[in-house]
Amino acid sequence: MHEGSITVRLPVDLREIERLNRIVRQFGDLNEIPSRALYALNLALDEVVTNVVRHGFDDRSGQEVVACITTRQGELMTVVTDSGRPFNPLDVPAPDVDVPLSERTLGGLGIHLVRSLMDSLEYRREKEKNVLTLRKRVR
């Protein structure tokens, strides 16, 4: 894996997630990121950006989500930033996946998936922005 970084700015629009996916794959190819790690990152980013688009804004016009991806020393680090309403995904309790579907409460599965795909997640609110850092060790 080569060291490198890329910053992707996306309008807050679900249609942009496909473009993000393509850019991440191209970045992965250029930097020889193993396919398993790249797949995990793409799936996690899909979930995170989808949540921002669906729940982060009352008015999406003129808003953006920024994803900065860096590969360094055997690690993929991605920082996702948005100026949507404050939301710490780490405060969402893990869903009880042993309960039958008909008895589960809505929500939380996407965040649960992101937690299981990444090695660590960190959240902070900084300068009126949500800043979520995802880390994945690359083996």
Side-chain angles (χ1 to χ4, degrees), residues 52-65:
V52 170
V53 171
R54 287 194 172 151
H55 308 292
F57 299 90
D58 291 326
D59 180 8
R60 298 178 190 160
S61 61
Q63 301 294 338
E64 69 179 4
V65 180

Side-chain angles (χ1 to χ4, degrees), residues 105-133:
T105 58
L106 288 177
L109 283 176
I111 293 167
H112 176 68
L113 176 65
V114 172
R115 284 178 176 145
S116 68
L117 291 168
M118 296 291 108
D119 292 312
S120 72
L121 298 174
E122 301 161 18
Y123 171 84
R124 68 184 186 280
R125 182 81 178 170
E126 183 177 283
K127 297 180 182 175
E128 308 269 333
K129 294 184 184 284
N130 296 302
V131 181
L132 181 65
T133 302

Side-chain angles (χ1 to χ4, degrees), residues 12-130:
V12 177
D13 185 324
L14 287 175
R15 296 173 293 194
E16 291 293 317
I17 293 171
E18 185 178 325
R19 183 168 71 94
L20 175 61
N21 184 276
R22 277 194 316 274
I23 292 168
V24 170
R25 282 195 320 265
Q26 290 170 345
F27 177 77
D29 289 345
L30 285 171
N31 290 285
E32 298 180 356
I33 298 169
S35 59
R36 288 180 104 179
L38 197 60
Y39 175 79
L41 176 62
N42 250 331
L43 190 53
L45 278 174
D46 188 300
E47 289 295 329
V48 169
V49 174
T50 296
N51 278 346
V52 170
V53 171
R54 287 194 172 151
H55 308 292
F57 299 90
D58 291 326
D59 180 8
R60 298 178 190 160
S61 61
Q63 301 294 338
E64 69 179 4
V65 180
V66 179
C68 299
I69 306 166
T70 304
T71 60
R72 201 169 105 216
Q73 299 176 348
E75 181 182 67
L76 265 172
M77 181 180 77
T78 304
V79 179
V80 179
T81 307
D82 70 84
S83 59
R85 65 180 53 89
F87 176 70
N88 183 350
L90 304 181
D91 288 343
V92 175
D96 185 351
V97 294
D98 295 326
V99 173
L101 279 175
S102 61
E103 297 175 23
R104 290 186 198 170
T105 58
L106 288 177
L109 283 176
I111 293 167
H112 176 68
L113 176 65
V114 172
R115 284 178 176 145
S116 68
L117 291 168
M118 296 291 108
D119 292 312
S120 72
L121 298 174
E122 301 161 18
Y123 171 84
R124 68 184 186 280
R125 182 81 178 170
E126 183 177 283
K127 297 180 182 175
E128 308 269 333
K129 294 184 184 284
N130 296 302

